[in-house]
Amino acid sequence: MQTTATAAAPPATAAPERRAYYDRIRPYHLAPLWEALHALVPREPASPCVPALWRYAEIRPFLMESATLITAEEAVRRVLVLENPGMPGQSCTTQSLYAGLQLIMPGEVAPSHRHVQSALRFIVDGRGAYTTVGGERTTMHPGDFIITPSWDWHDHGHEALQSDSGPVVWLDGLDIPLVRFFDAGFAENDTQQSQTVSQPEGRSYARFGHNMVPVRHTHTSRTSPIFSYPYARSREALAALQKSEAPDAWQGWKLRYTNPLTGGAPMPTMQPCLQLLPQGFRGRSHRGTDGTVYSVVEGRGTAVVDGQRLGFQPQDTFVVPSWARLQLEAETDAVLFSFSDRPVQEAIGIHRESFD
Ligand code: 1HN
């Protein structure tokens, strides 16, 4: 994470005798705190992250073009990073989170590797690709939320079994900037391109995905034992809520995905959610210290972020910076997936939100 304070350079506005003093202490790697204090300890968050929207219809052609330039295998992961316009060149979408759109074509493999960074996938376009985590494969369908836990082997592929199968695109969310901040990143490549599949598909979901857990299961991982949360099930829950209760005035019907063993976030660093806004919804304004990335699944609407109107459609991605006021409006019933670093902020006791 970068800070906007640059304590090393004396400000041009400082009085000459102070500047001379700063110049004399700099060779000793000393800097005057009083010149940087306000920026270091702001009265409220002053994020370099800005609101931004990536229209899928506009960027899909660039993504498809990338497949003519490089294979998934050569790229290792063929991804276009959704770089925050306020932080160019830093491979981040918020200060703490990375998001990108990954493309896999029929017949391709993205080779097995593992890293300390946790990843989530949210399927945006196409079907028939798979990801393998810890020897279990899961087939991707639009709207599925899939987890790659920290330090688990994972590879992706697309077997092109059906004649109508085409490109598959998903949103990757990773805690890359957080791990970089801690200088705690490790990674390694597997000896095989694709892991040997050692578990039948759906085993994790059968064991943990039905409000039941195998007896004598002892959980040691920090990450949910379910690694694919199918859209059909999450959508069904929202549809039932729409019939049974009024929407929240700020967020519509909003559910967070959980680790069934703890009730907490499914992964230590990121909290994903799915929400439904009814047609005609004009949400009240709210804000939180967790900058959030949204992926639009269904419907059309507008995210008003600090007064800036971001009109969204299915498959678009947008980002709401920390402490920016967000108002959600829906022209049609709209479903939004989102994720933020909220579990980390809660773990260290600094998360704040406000519903005004
Ligand atoms: C990664 O391993 C994946 O496994 C996606 O699909 C995006 C971005 C940076 C570093 C590693 C993946 C990534 C990544």
Side-chain angles (χ1 to χ4, degrees), residues 275-287:
Q275 75 196 102
L276 169 62
L277 311 172
Q279 179 170 18
F281 185 73
R282 292 283 175 278
R284 295 180 61 177
S285 153
H286 58 288
R287 55 183 175 165

Side-chain angles (χ1 to χ4, degrees), residues 140-154:
M140 299 175 171
H141 313 91
D144 291 352
F145 154 58
I146 294 172
I147 299 175
T148 307
S150 174
W151 207 242
D152 272 6
W153 296 111
H154 55 285

Side-chain angles (χ1 to χ4, degrees), residues 77 79 98 102 110 113 115 117 119 121 148 154 156 170 172 174 176:
R77 298 297 185 256
V79 180
Y98 156 106
Q102 180 161 175
H113 69 185
H115 38 72
Q117 293 83 354
R121 330 276 173 194
T148 307
H154 55 285
H156 319 301
W170 63 84
D172 282 315
L174 286 92
I176 288 173

Side-chain angles (χ1 to χ4, degrees), residues 2 19 101 151 154 186 190 215 224 248 250 263 278 287 291 326 335 353:
Q2 312 285 308
R19 292 189 57 183
L101 289 173
W151 207 242
H154 55 285
F186 293 87
D190 208 343
V215 293
S224 169
D248 175 78
W250 291 267
R287 55 183 175 165
L326 171 65
V335 178
E353 60 188 337

Side-chain angles (χ1 to χ4, degrees), residues 4 39 41 55 75 78 86 102 112 124 163 174 181 221 229 243 267 270 283 318 324 327 339 344 350-351:
T4 49
V41 188
R55 286 189 189 85
R78 189 175 47 217
Q102 180 161 175
S112 180
V124 167
S163 55
L174 286 92
F181 174 74
S221 168
Y229 294 71
K243 292 203 194 96
M267 47 216 306
M270 294 184 278
F318 61 91
Q327 266 175 284
F339 66 95
V344 181
I350 63 167
H351 183 259

